[in-house]
Amino acid sequence: RKEVEQDPGPFNVPEGATVAFNCTYSNSASQSFFWYRQDCRKEPKLLMSVYSSGNEDGRFTAQLNRASQYISLLIRDSKLSDSATYLCVVNIARAGGGNKLTFGTGTQLKVEL
Amino acid sequence: NAGVTQTPKFQVLKTGQSMTLQCAQDMNHEYMSWYRQDPGMGLRLIHYSVGAGITDQGEVPNGYNVSRSTTEDFPLRLLSAAPSQTSVYFCASSAGPGFGQETQYFGPGTRLLVL
């Protein structure tokens, strides 16, 4: 089983729709979780951090379910500009200090007119 | 602030050639990392550094060397390029190990093709 698993998509949704992605992780010792956004041929950029049960920022909501070991990202009122690949990232503290970040392969979202 | 910068943006190498990918950050971050990104795979950690003079191996270190002589710079050296090293390389920095410090700031990437 992969450490971090995501449905690659693509998710094709009309503008204004609500869309949700799930990400599952295998290591129960994972401490913090992140969603990054990556535009085509660009670098990943942080979208949201999740340290407890969830986080909300405008149209974006992230939820963490530790019992089932998954994180979700909900995007409401989708915009054309939301079209991108969304990377799920899981963090485990290293024994000698620092963080071990494991990246999912990403879920591609295409928002259409 | 320029953030994280990488050079070159693109590079074509022949098998067996060596080269250095440059990375610099101006945010005074302690932690720096090199990742490679290949189709169908998540970003994979090559090497990382928790401070000047300290480096360690990541998930896929073979064929690469790093050094960290200053806080700002973290070059990645390909010793003898192989076609399997064709990839997009991202350098990233973060403030430290604590909660809220793990956010990775990525450079724009270097696209490498090894023939």
Side-chain angles (χ1 to χ4, degrees):
Chain A
R1 183 183 172 187
K2 286 185 181 178
E3 289 188 63
V4 179
E5 290 200 72
Q6 295 183 253
D7 182 340
F11 284 61
N12 298 302
V13 303
E15 206 175 13
T18 295
V19 62
F21 313 134
N22 274 347
C23 165
T24 58
Y25 61 95
S26 61
N27 193 326
S28 59
S30 301
Q31 295 180 301
S32 49
F33 308 85
F34 308 88
W35 285 100
Y36 279 74
R37 172 193 169 126
Q38 186 173 24
D39 293 298
C40 188
R41 301 177 75 81
K42 298 285 189 183
E43 72 272 24
K45 293 184 179 177
L46 181 68
L47 179 67
M48 298 188 78
S49 306
V50 183
Y51 296 106
S52 56
S53 60
N55 195 3
E56 184 172 331
D57 183 5
R59 297 183 294 110
F60 299 85
T61 301
Q63 292 284 348
L64 169 63
N65 185 319
R66 286 190 186 273
S68 301
Q69 294 185 201
Y70 76 83
I71 318 106
S72 63
L73 177 67
L74 181 78
I75 305 175
R76 290 179 296 276
D77 189 23
S78 299
K79 312 288 185 193
L80 293 174
S81 57
D82 293 334
S83 297
T85 297
Y86 292 84
L87 307 178
C88 173
V89 184
V90 174
N91 177 41
I92 301 172
R94 291 181 187 274
N99 301 298
K100 178 177 183 289
L101 296 173
T102 303
F103 287 76
T105 54
T107 297
Q108 189 179 11
L109 172 65
K110 296 182 180 180
V111 182
E112 302 162 334
L113 285 171
Chain B
N1 285 354
V4 180
T5 58
Q6 289 183 238
T7 56
K9 284 190 169 58
F10 305 96
Q11 184 70 48
V12 179
L13 290 178
K14 294 181 180 177
T15 296
Q17 287 184 316
S18 62
M19 77 161 295
T20 299
L21 280 63
Q22 301 291 346
C23 174
Q25 53 92 9
D26 61 0
M27 297 176 280
N28 201 33
H29 282 170
E30 288 295 319
Y31 283 36
M32 296 186 75
S33 305
W34 275 103
Y35 296 89
R36 60 179 288 174
Q37 187 173 38
D38 302 292
M41 306 188 78
L43 283 147
R44 291 182 293 168
L45 183 65
I46 304 171
H47 285 285
Y48 66 99
S49 169
V50 299
I54 307 168
T55 64
D56 206 344
Q57 295 182 350
E59 183 185 351
V60 288
N62 292 343
Y64 308 94
N65 271 358
V66 291
S67 59
R68 184 100 179 268
S69 55
T70 66
T71 299
E72 294 78 19
D73 300 298
F74 191 43
L76 177 73
R77 279 180 286 279
L78 277 70
L79 309 172
S80 176
S84 60
Q85 293 179 304
T86 293
S87 188
V88 181
Y89 292 85
F90 288 103
C91 178
S93 72
S94 60
F99 284 145
Q101 295 183 308
E102 327 92 314
T103 299
Q104 301 282 294
Y105 295 84
F106 287 90
T110 294
R111 296 182 178 276
L112 177 67
L113 173 62
V114 182
L115 301 173

